[in-house]
Amino acid sequence: MSKISSRKLPLTLIILFFASLTAHAQFLKYVNGNNSWNPDSLGNHRAVVNVTTVGPVCETFIFWRRHDDPTNKSVIVVDAKTNKRIFNVKTENISREGGTVYFQPTSGPGKYYIYYMPYKVTARSNYPNAVYYQMQNTADAAWLEQTNHADNANVLYLESVNAMNSFYPMEVIATKAEVARMLHLNPGKDYFVFTEDRAYPIKMPHDLPAHWVPQGPFNKFTGTALKGENYSYQLGIYPVTTDLKNISLTFSDLKDAAGHRIPATVMSCLNTNGTKYDGTPLTNTVNVSKGDVQALWCLVNIPAKAIAGAYKGTVTVKADNAPATTIGIGITIQNKQAINSGVNDPQKQTRLTWLNSTLAQQNDVIKPYTPLQVDAQTISLLGRKVILNNTGFPEQIQTFFTPEMTETTTTPKNILGENIHFHIVNATTHKDIALKSQGVTFTQKDPGTVKWQASNTSDLLKMDVNGSIEFDGYMNYTVKLTALADVDLDDTKFHIPFDKASAKYLMGLGQKGGLRPDTVKWHWDVATKNQDGAWIGEVNAGLQYSLRDENYVRPLNTNFYLQKPLVLPTSWGNGGKGGMLITIKGKTMLAECYTGPRSMKKGDELYYNFTLLITPFHTINTDFQWATRFYHKYNKLDTIKATGATVVNIHHATPINPYINYPFIAHDAMKSYIDSAHRLGLKVKIYNTVRELSNSAYETFPMRSLGHEIYSTGKGGGYSWLQEHLGSDYIAAWYVPEIKDAAIVNSGMSRWHNYYVEGMNWLVQNLGIDGIYLDDVAFDRITMKRVKRVLTQNGHPGIIDLHSANQYNKNDGFNNSANLYMEHFPYLSRLWFGEYFDYENNSPDFFLTEVSGIPFGLMGEMLQGGGNPWRGMVFGMTNRMPWSDNADPRPIWKAWDYFGMTGTKMIGYWVDANPVKTNNPQVLATVYKKQGKALIAIASWAPADTNIKLTINWQALGINPNTARITAPGIRNFQPVQTFGLNDEIPVLKGKGWMLVVE
């Protein structure tokens, strides 16, 4: 083919000639380059040509069949013998189908490489952007004059840098001439249906693969499956005359010659029907534009008891505006049983059925929580109680946790100063519209969920209230306000009146966590602020509220909020008129959510939905904190064991977990590592979350066929693989340059969460993981509960720790990490809220509310810069080895073991009855008390070095002062050995402190 010269024949004749040659799929050969060159300077693709002559100019036509736009993209020619770039290069007739390249064969006869998509990488390494070089003239004028007398060079083959980057076969385009010929041979069709095996996912949305076209639409599919296998195949829909509307598939039973059946009930189309992440049915409308290609993935869950044989049936493609097309389906079932439904071989797309999973959806009670109990209109749950009034809203919410947060008590602490209620103000009378309640009716009373409804009416309005509470303290309200007549309203106000004694701290609404200001004024600003509520509370009693409507969609987070922010609630936001005011009102601290004036016509409906989280969720588990010591790095197990760590966190981009949020490729190595760790008494957790997904996921293109259900819309760009294989309309996420793992941002709540839960289940059952490490979270509490259930099945520990970078910044919408993720706290084992957190310039109240986890029943660790070990100890926190600089908690671990922290009672500085206090309010003391002795953690927030004295309630401490002594054990990088008298002044350096043993 390379004997043809573009200077001797018109370009159209060349294309037609090549089209005729390739009419029966005779393409250039595509081979794997096995990473034999640096793609970040030369690109991922090259043509290997052979020169047989000795002239100064060679010419070759490369029939590359590209689906990108090659206009003005550079080519680089390299001499294979010298590995040097050739600068005397010229191109002509460049198109997506092919192009002519002239070059100087500097070493005479032999091989030459023509790189036709070279790029350079800009921006930081973990968020790179590949910029493709533009064509520039590097040839000298004398050489260019000789290109009219060029010798021909043969294209031997096309080569990609590795298999991952190859375009063959599904991204090799058919030419316009080939498509025209196919249309000519198949007249009168509104659309074509191509069938394709699961081994070759359809990838191009705007081009036909070249190997489809010579044969044309072939209305038959044949494949081979195992008994019990999750099998799949594809239909490629290609409209040729008009856009297709509302495509659907109808499956027949599959039957063999003997009459055995595979029922149509085990067949489905992933693109049109399924099950949402919350277990409800999903129906998608699939439209396809003229000239585009839409993959429809057909799932067939072969019954385990199927009889081996050749089965035949049909699938019928229907559209609202075109005739139906029937495709013959033939599946030969081998006399062999699939292992685990074939999901151990995900490269065969056997896990696509996971996208419709309902695993662990049943809302049964998860330990340590207890079943809900209903007595009249009082609902009791672990450590808390909700009393409903006849409106359906809480009359009172109580908690039963001690201030220490280590125990529960029978003495209630009221969260509310009066009941939660609405004020709906009539614009005519400027008075509240009185709604008459018909009382509460319970509609569900299960151990995990209790639901109720109430109706409140007047002549003008009706308010239907549907409420629910779950075993962990999550409450969800759907409040529908219906106008029974035309009405003008001054305002609609929602009041949460807090008891002042349960409203010491606030977090949210543009406020960092800490002491609550007396007044907070806030307006909706969803475009830039990820804020729709707040947490207000004390250490042992609090309430988070979040305002929503029926159109609520979870936004993106962690650097991506601005690309998919909150949707302004029609009801609460009221076109920007709504907001919140937090202020002291009488005996209460009132959180007022207002909407401003509006008019409602008869029949209008507004949804004033909201959620509540009652905190704390459970007591803190201090013994878990002392005994469970994370090693946050892949390393040799003997080395980890020697540190004293007990749990290994395996990050992504490691040999046994290389691909971000897709721990299913190096699973054999992962299992071997976990088995070895268990033999040493170590537990292993892996990095696996939902926010972005590796491009190495086998299901990437099937999920891309679902539009934006799983992958977010976006401006594209990023690393070269993303640009070359996804093209556009995505958000590029984290990239690991060492292994070239390029991730794509998930869209939010989707069926990927079903897959995620199934994946966790598979990892527990097949690899024996002991838990997961979450790096921020992009799923909601429904998925978190399901994950916790599968991680703790059959006695597995199910340890979950959550890391978050500080979300209080522009890109994240100025949210508080603890506020953002509070719905997940009931299922976490530990927090690691440390990246970009400032441990030196924030108050202890910030530590308490945003970092420690204590007001929610959790404990945490520090990260940024190794943290502040003295301040950390006031909250029972160390840093975590060996992830960041100065992160070596071993000296403190050693001090814990020397003292014997197991079994101690933690009495924080925030406890009024703390038996040890300092005489300086800026120097705080937390006591770890046990029989006959105590450890006192002291930390300073004073602006300068200071001296303090301790005030000790010896009786409460349980130690005789006449025989007591106070010592500071030597702790490397923390404090020297020292002894203090009972009445001595203790010097405390700025930002530091002590650990003192009293015995």
Side-chain angles (χ1 to χ4, degrees):
M1 298 195 309
S2 59
K3 296 291 184 183
I4 304 288
S5 171
S6 62
R7 65 180 170 81
K8 297 174 184 176
L9 290 175
L11 178 62
T12 53
L13 290 180
I14 294 170
I15 292 173
L16 289 172
F17 179 77
F18 277 92
S20 67
L21 284 179
T22 58
H24 299 288
Q26 296 174 357
F27 313 130
L28 287 172
K29 182 180 179 182
Y30 287 77
V31 302
N32 180 352
N34 295 311
N35 299 303
S36 55
W37 70 87
N38 179 13
D40 290 345
S41 60
L42 295 170
N44 297 306
H45 309 279
R46 71 186 184 186
V48 180
V49 301
N50 186 50
V51 173
T52 58
T53 59
V54 223
V57 181
C58 279
E59 171 194 16
T60 187
F61 183 82
I62 308 173
F63 203 28
W64 45 44
R65 296 175 173 266
R66 293 160 60 172
H67 63 95
D68 67 311
D69 180 4
T71 306
N72 205 30
K73 284 184 180 176
S74 177
V75 298
I76 292 176
V77 182
V78 173
D79 186 330
K81 290 181 181 177
T82 64
N83 203 33
K84 291 182 179 180
R85 180 177 178 179
I86 297 169
F87 290 94
N88 282 331
V89 175
K90 175 186 173 183
T91 60
E92 278 185 354
N93 302 325
I94 299 296
S95 72
R96 296 169 75 236
E97 298 177 3
T100 301
V101 179
Y102 300 88
F103 64 94
Q104 180 182 11
T106 51
S107 293
K111 286 185 180 179
Y112 292 83
Y113 303 133
I114 301 177
Y115 298 89
Y116 52 86
M117 295 179 73
Y119 61 86
K120 63 179 178 180
V121 175
T122 66
R124 54 178 282 203
S125 61
N126 294 120
Y127 287 98
N129 190 47
V131 176
Y132 289 83
Y133 291 113
Q134 293 188 343
M135 195 64 200
Q136 293 180 339
N137 180 24
T138 59
D140 61 53
W143 180 85
L144 286 171
E145 291 179 358
Q146 303 178 69
T147 57
N148 288 331
H149 306 285
D151 296 314
N152 290 318
N154 296 316
V155 178
L156 299 177
Y157 49 84
L158 300 181
E159 190 171 28
S160 58
V161 68
N162 52 35
M164 181 73 180
N165 281 277
S166 178
F167 290 141
Y168 184 81
M170 298 306 294
E171 296 170 281
V172 177
I173 69 168
T175 67
K176 289 181 180 179
E178 290 167 347
V179 174
R181 180 178 180 274
M182 180 191 70
L183 296 176
H184 177 73
L185 295 174
N186 297 273
K189 291 184 177 293
D190 293 319
Y191 63 96
F192 291 169
V193 180
F194 297 90
T195 62
E196 186 58 80
D197 190 79
R198 59 183 174 174
Y200 301 105
I202 297 170
K203 299 179 179 180
M204 297 187 296
H206 308 299
D207 287 283
L208 291 175
H211 77 274
W212 281 2
V213 174
Q215 180 176 264
F218 186 55
N219 292 345
K220 185 177 181 181
F221 173 80
T222 58
T224 302
L226 303 179
K227 296 179 180 181
E229 184 177 17
N230 296 337
Y231 187 72
S232 62
Y233 60 90
Q234 303 168 83
L235 302 181
I237 311 299
Y238 178 64
V240 295
T241 61
T242 187
D243 299 347
L244 289 185
K245 303 295 184 183
N246 192 26
I247 296 173
S248 63
L249 301 183
T250 302
F251 300 91
S252 76
D253 293 347
L254 300 178
K255 299 178 181 179
D256 70 358
H260 301 118
R261 290 189 318 122
I262 297 175
T265 53
V266 302
M267 306 173 203
S268 63
C269 176
L270 189 67
N271 303 79
T272 59
N273 298 93
T275 303
K276 296 179 183 177
Y277 79 95
D278 61 0
T280 59
L282 171 74
T283 301
N284 281 333
T285 299
V286 178
N287 302 321
V288 189
S289 299
K290 176 184 174 181
D292 281 351
V293 180
Q294 172 65 53
L296 298 180
W297 279 87
C298 301
L299 310 183
V300 186
N301 295 331
I302 306 295
K305 295 182 179 180
I307 305 299
Y311 290 77
K312 294 181 180 180
T314 61
V315 56
T316 302
V317 181
K318 299 178 182 178
D320 287 351
N321 60 333
T325 298
T326 299
I327 307 296
I329 304 298
I331 300 177
T332 299
I333 300 178
Q334 297 177 326
N335 193 22
K336 184 179 180 181
Q337 200 72 35
I339 299 173
N340 200 11
S341 300
V343 299
N344 294 353
D345 296 307
Q347 70 277 9
K348 295 181 179 179
Q349 304 300 344
T350 48
R351 296 183 179 182
L352 289 179
T353 189
W354 283 3
L355 292 168
N356 293 321
S357 172
T358 58
L359 179 66
Q361 283 286 11
Q362 183 66 34
N363 199 39
D364 48 2
V365 179
I366 300 171
K367 292 180 180 180
Y369 300 100
T370 54
L372 295 167
Q373 295 182 344
V374 181
D375 181 8
Q377 291 183 185
T378 297
I379 307 167
S380 298
L381 61 156
L382 179 68
R384 289 151 292 172
K385 186 176 290 186
V386 176
I387 304 166
L388 301 175
N389 62 28
N390 286 336
T391 66
F393 300 120
E395 179 71 23
Q396 183 57 267
I397 302 174
Q398 298 174 326
T399 65
F400 296 84
F401 297 95
T402 63
E404 294 88 344
M405 278 300 299
T406 55
E407 299 171 294
T408 56
T409 175
T410 56
T411 304
K413 185 176 181 67
N414 291 337
I415 291 178
L416 302 179
E418 57 180 274
N419 61 58
I420 292 175
H421 56 272
F422 277 84
H423 292 281
I424 305 174
V425 185
N426 191 326
T428 302
T429 64
H430 308 298
K431 293 182 179 180
D432 286 3
I433 296 173
L435 299 173
K436 184 177 180 181
S437 174
Q438 298 177 9
V440 170
T441 301
F442 285 93
T443 58
Q444 181 178 340
K445 293 182 181 179
D446 291 334
T449 305
V450 170
K451 294 183 178 180
W452 61 91
Q453 60 186 26
S455 186
N456 305 276
T457 59
S458 73
D459 293 338
L460 296 174
L461 298 170
K462 181 182 180 183
M463 179 182 283
D464 292 311
V465 178
N466 284 276
S468 66
I469 187 170
E470 298 185 21
F471 58 85
D472 58 3
Y474 170 80
M475 300 182 71
N476 184 59
Y477 273 96
T478 300
V479 181
K480 183 172 75 171
L481 189 67
T482 305
L484 303 180
D486 294 354
V487 60
D488 295 327
L489 303 177
D490 277 344
D491 207 345
T492 301
K493 300 178 182 178
F494 175 57
H495 282 185
I496 306 178
F498 285 82
D499 188 310
K500 287 182 183 178
S502 297
K504 184 176 182 179
Y505 305 103
L506 179 145
M507 179 169 52
L509 303 182
Q511 304 286 315
K512 283 187 175 183
L515 293 173
R516 171 191 49 78
D518 283 344
T519 302
V520 175
K521 297 179 179 179
W522 177 89
H523 288 86
W524 288 93
D525 180 15
V526 296
T528 62
K529 304 292 193 306
N530 188 8
Q531 297 164 13
D532 59 5
W535 173 81
I536 298 171
E538 244 283 14
V539 173
N540 60 338
L543 196 66
Q544 185 202 56
Y545 63 93
S546 177
L547 307 183
R548 302 173 179 181
D549 69 3
E550 76 279 20
N551 298 313
Y552 173 79
V553 176
R554 188 181 181 90
L556 297 181
N557 64 335
T558 59
N559 300 323
F560 305 112
Y561 174 77
L562 300 179
Q563 299 186 56
K564 185 183 177 182
L566 285 164
V567 177
L568 181 69
T570 302
S571 54
W572 299 108
N574 193 17
K577 299 174 186 176
M580 300 186 203
L581 173 65
I582 294 174
T583 188
I584 301 296
K585 185 175 182 181
K587 296 181 180 179
T588 70
M589 196 294 300
L590 179 64
E592 177 181 271
C593 310
Y594 61 87
T595 70
R598 72 173 352 127
S599 297
M600 297 182 71
K601 297 293 184 182
K602 182 179 179 180
D604 283 355
E605 296 177 348
L606 289 169
Y607 284 84
Y608 290 92
N609 301 345
F610 62 92
T611 65
L612 302 174
L613 276 169
I614 309 167
T615 66
F617 301 108
H618 49 67
T619 56
I620 57 175
N621 186 345
T622 53
D623 280 354
F624 179 87
Q625 185 79 350
W626 319 138
T628 307
R629 301 170 183 183
F630 292 146
Y631 187 95
H632 197 88
K633 189 177 181 181
Y634 174 79
N635 207 339
K636 293 180 180 179
L637 290 167
D638 289 338
T639 301
I640 296 172
K641 180 73 173 178
T643 67
T646 62
V647 179
V648 189
N649 273 6
I650 302 299
H651 218 266
H652 71 93
T654 54
I656 64 171
N657 190 20
Y659 305 106
I660 190 167
N661 298 331
Y662 199 78
F664 306 118
I665 294 179
H667 54 81
D668 288 340
M670 184 183 290
K671 177 171 174 50
S672 177
Y673 187 89
I674 291 172
D675 289 346
S676 297
H678 287 168
R679 286 192 289 269
L680 289 173
L682 297 171
K683 291 182 171 61
V684 179
K685 296 165 49 261
I686 65 165
Y687 182 114
N688 189 26
T689 185
V690 170
R691 178 183 59 196
E692 60 223 316
L693 179 61
S694 169
N695 63 324
S696 290
Y698 296 119
E699 299 84 3
T700 297
F701 289 99
M703 292 193 298
R704 283 278 286 180
S705 79
L706 301 176
H708 295 302
E709 180 190 347
I710 290 176
Y711 293 118
S712 179
T713 184
K715 60 183 180 181
Y719 193 61
S720 62
W721 188 95
L722 303 178
Q723 297 191 49
E724 293 174 11
H725 298 273
L726 303 185
S728 62
D729 204 11
Y730 59 89
I731 299 175
W734 190 259
Y735 173 73
V736 181
E738 293 81 7
I739 58 174
K740 301 191 183 304
D741 185 39
I744 316 156
V745 172
N746 298 133
S747 62
M749 311 310 297
S750 73
R751 282 185 287 174
W752 178 246
H753 298 179
N754 294 332
Y755 187 110
Y756 179 68
V757 173
E758 284 278 4
M760 290 293 195
N761 183 58
W762 187 87
L763 290 164
V764 171
Q765 291 192 349
N766 292 274
L767 306 189
I769 65 169
D770 297 296
I772 54 170
Y773 163 70
L774 295 174
D775 182 357
D776 286 297
V777 179
F779 51 80
D780 75 349
R781 64 187 312 276
I782 292 175
T783 302
M784 179 62 88
K785 287 188 296 180
R786 297 172 69 191
V787 166
K788 189 69 173 182
R789 289 188 180 103
V790 300
L791 287 178
T792 55
Q793 62 184 299
N794 301 322
H796 286 273
I799 304 168
I800 305 176
D801 68 305
L802 170 62
H803 158 71
S804 177
N806 195 339
Q807 306 282 300
Y808 199 84
N809 60 72
K810 177 181 177 181
N811 287 338
D812 296 313
F814 294 99
N815 207 338
N816 320 80
S817 294
N819 209 34
L820 178 64
Y821 297 128
M822 198 176 297
E823 64 179 341
H824 302 295
F825 284 9
Y827 308 101
L828 302 180
S829 309
R830 184 172 295 174
L831 296 180
W832 197 25
F833 282 10
E835 193 171 6
Y836 308 126
F837 280 78
D838 188 343
Y839 299 107
E840 303 303 324
N841 299 302
N842 277 303
S843 68
D845 308 307
F846 174 83
F847 273 75
L848 182 64
T849 55
E850 288 225 35
V851 181
S852 77
I854 290 170
F856 314 104
L858 291 169
M859 298 185 76
E861 289 175 305
M862 300 174 292
L863 190 157
Q864 192 71 37
N868 182 308
W870 301 275
R871 292 177 177 179
M873 267 305 299
V874 170
F875 304 95
M877 298 190 298
T878 64
N879 53 33
R880 178 179 295 187
M881 71 177 307
W883 189 252
S884 58
D885 293 339
N886 305 316
D888 188 356
R890 285 177 293 178
I892 295 178
W893 291 351
K894 185 177 180 180
W896 287 357
D897 293 339
Y898 176 78
F899 175 77
M901 289 292 279
T902 301
T904 59
K905 180 178 181 179
M906 181 178 178
I907 309 172
Y909 71 85
W910 56 87
V911 179
D912 290 339
N914 188 326
V916 180
K917 301 181 185 297
T918 80
N919 63 344
N920 185 334
Q922 294 179 305
V923 181
L924 305 178
T926 290
V927 174
Y928 302 94
K929 174 187 170 185
K930 63 189 309 180
Q931 184 68 35
K933 61 179 180 178
L935 180 71
I936 303 170
I938 296 171
S940 176
W941 276 265
D945 297 349
T946 187
N947 294 321
I948 63 162
K949 280 194 170 185
L950 300 179
T951 300
I952 300 176
N953 182 335
W954 293 102
Q955 183 176 359
L957 203 59
I959 296 175
N960 183 349
N962 297 321
T963 58
R965 59 177 183 156
I966 301 176
T967 59
I971 304 174
R972 182 167 57 86
N973 298 327
F974 188 94
Q975 68 188 22
V977 175
Q978 197 157 341
T979 300
F980 296 102
L982 300 190
N983 298 310
D984 286 354
E985 284 195 334
I986 299 172
V988 181
L989 299 178
K990 177 185 175 181
K992 297 186 178 183
W994 294 90
M995 274 200 286
L996 304 177
V997 176
V998 182
E999 56 185 337

